[in-house]
Amino acid sequence: MPSKVRIALDAMGGDVGAAVVIPGAAISLGRHPETEFLLVGDRTRIEPELDRHPRLKAASRIIHTDVAVSGEDKPSQALRRGRKTSSMWLAIDAVKKGEADVAVSAGNTGALMAMARFHLRTLPGIDRPAITAVWPTLHGSTVVLDLGATIGGDARHLVALAVMGAAMASVVFDKRRPTVGLLNIGTEEIKGHEEIREAGEILRATNLPELDYIGFVEGDGIGKGLADVIVTEGYSGNIALKAAEGTARQMADLLRNEIQRSWLSRLGYLFARNAFQALRDKMDPNKSNGGVLLGLNGLVVKSHGGINAEGFAYAIDVGYEMAKFDLLNKINQMLNRDGGALSSVPTAPEDDS
């Protein structure tokens, strides 16, 4: 493990930019004092914020640019306009050049994925990267991927996601052999699309030493925490994520409305407020912020754009953990060693159209 972790921050990404990124970095530095930061963005916006955090200032270096990727930019537009000049690109470039171990951005998701994939390329054996997040469950947390980086995927892609997710879970949960499930419409082996059934057969047959494949998991199994890793392609994964986030907000609103309906309800809340606080902490979106772009030849973490400083600090923490415990090397070893996960999986045929 490296003694220092160097983190490049896109200080112009997200809804607010440096006003959230800098205090978020200060919070994370308090938890990980051995971190060094590259702050990429407009110096005139970064320095006033940095002056409020002397300890962070001593651990940071500014890379100046006044070019930012807009939240409305399409990925192709971002590549054309922001390549080699934007704060997002330069943060990724620091990883490419070995000046940083990980890049963190709260900017445009599509642009970040496009720039990271274009500049860093994918790991050997990986056709497409994935957005991966740690999802709160009834029994702790679960690593879920892909949450929307790409749409669709053959069996080889799903197996690669399983391996990458298991590598991340081994870091996050400190487990030698994390359990892995494939998201499906039922648990029976005959259900689901052909590529899901085929991926399940491959994972069961190869019996990889780095993961414990438990079979298919239905949608409600994510929240139940039935596996350390839940694998799905990006279309289904993004729907599951948005549905879960919407349900959480709906439940919070319903609960708030019911508590305020009568004095008896408000009295009951006073007696149960410790339980309500524990529930609020469990479902706090700040604490599950930070999606890792897995499958790239470099570490990149995506933060929510509208997050506060505490939430952005959690995204930095995710990047710190992934770099500190050498996630990329773990994935590479699992995918590409002799007899590895993808050695017996046929490559998808080329499209001749």
Side-chain angles (χ1 to χ4, degrees), residues 51-234:
D51 287 340
R52 300 187 179 99
H53 305 281
R55 188 178 175 192
L56 175 63
K57 187 174 183 177
S60 301
R61 176 166 65 90
I62 298 173
I63 298 176
H64 173 74
T65 179
D66 57 4
V67 180
V69 172
S70 165
E72 288 72 43
D73 282 346
K74 294 180 179 179
S76 58
Q77 293 174 324
L79 272 173
R80 286 197 304 269
R81 299 173 184 171
R83 184 180 170 189
K84 299 187 179 181
T85 59
S86 68
S87 58
M88 181 181 288
W89 176 276
L90 292 174
I92 296 168
D93 189 55
V95 175
K96 174 78 172 183
K97 292 177 177 177
E99 297 173 356
D101 301 303
V102 58
V104 183
S105 175
N108 182 319
T109 303
L112 183 67
M113 177 59 76
M115 285 188 177
R117 184 174 181 180
F118 180 87
H119 199 31
L120 298 176
R121 306 298 182 183
T122 55
L123 290 168
I126 299 296
D127 298 319
R128 295 180 292 170
I131 299 175
T132 312
V134 179
W135 196 307
T137 73
L138 290 175
H139 302 292
S141 298
T142 291
V143 170
V144 185
L145 74 165
D146 175 19
L147 296 178
T150 57
I151 304 303
D154 59 12
R156 181 184 178 87
H157 178 61
L158 293 173
V159 172
L161 293 181
V163 173
M164 293 192 296
M168 180 168 167
S170 70
V171 171
V172 175
F173 306 138
D174 192 24
K175 287 190 174 182
R176 187 186 66 83
R177 199 166 188 244
T179 55
V180 175
L182 290 175
L183 188 66
N184 203 354
I185 59 171
T187 58
E188 299 89 345
E189 295 297 323
I190 61 171
K191 286 193 173 182
H193 293 304
E194 181 181 351
E195 56 268 22
I196 298 176
R197 299 198 305 271
E198 184 181 350
E201 291 173 2
I202 293 168
L203 288 169
R204 196 176 301 282
T206 51
N207 191 27
L208 297 168
E210 298 93 347
L211 64 87
D212 179 13
Y213 175 63
I214 64 168
F216 298 148
V217 175
E218 294 182 273
D220 62 344
I222 302 176
K224 291 177 180 177
L226 296 184
D228 298 315
V229 181
I230 302 291
V231 174
T232 182
E233 53 81 34

